[in-house]
Structure formats: C-alpha cells, structure tokens
Amino acid sequence: MANTASKTRPKHLQLTAIRLPIPGIVSILHRVSGAGLFLCLPLLLWLFAASLGSPETFDTFSAVVGHPLVKLLLLGLMWAYLHHFCAGIRFLLLDMHQGLELAAARKSSVAVLVVSLTLTVILGVKLW
C-alpha cells in the first residue's frame, strides 16, 4: 500500500514562500511576544527596582528611561504585553469553543491586531 501523499510532499520547505493566514500570524506573534517579555524580564525588574529604591537609583532610572533607544525598546515591550494579553484572551475564548468558525476566527485575530496596536499607540503617545 503506497502512500501517494508522501511522494508529492516537498523535500524542503521554502519558508519565504509560505503565506500564513491572519490567525497563524497572531499565533506566532503571541509566542514571540511571550518570549520577548520573558527575556526582557530582568531588565524590567531592574527598572522597577531602580524606580522605587532611593532618590539616587531613581535618578539612574530617569536617565536610562530618558534615552530614545530605551523608550523605543519599552514601546516594543508595551506592544508585546498588550498583544500577548489580547491574544491570550482570544485563545481562552477559543479553548471554550467560542469563535471556532473560520470567519469568526479571522475576525477575532484581526481584532487582536487592531486593539493591541491601537492601545500601544494611545499609551505610547501618553507615555512618550
């Protein structure tokens, strides 16, 4: 019994030619944002401790956070948190069998992208 499906499969995948649907992109961004938040956790904890420690450490905190590259990094981390949060709510709803249909899944994934980017812009403008 020969398996014809295995004969037509490519030997290697050309990752640049694969087009993911929006729910797939949201899923990958959810994982990437979670990994980024985890890897930047020591920096965030240090910044938090410096902001609450003493007047000298607060001055250090102010100097570090005042740098434009650090502001850009913190803006990216804010997007990562907001995206991870919104996508996590979407995945919880999917786990409860809400919005499993294709059209609803696409709409919810677009909503995650729009809400997370909108909140990032609003909060970024207020905090910049």
Side-chain angles (χ1 to χ4, degrees), residues 22 26 86 90 105-117:
I22 296 290
V26 168
C86 294
R90 177 181 178 265
R106 285 185 176 157
K107 285 180 185 177
S108 66
S109 60
V110 169
V112 164
L113 289 175
V114 168
V115 168
S116 66
L117 288 172

Side-chain angles (χ1 to χ4, degrees), residues 79-95:
W79 169 82
Y81 172 74
L82 291 168
H83 177 80
H84 198 77
F85 181 77
C86 294
I89 291 173
R90 177 181 178 265
F91 292 133
L92 284 174
L93 289 172
L94 289 174
D95 286 343

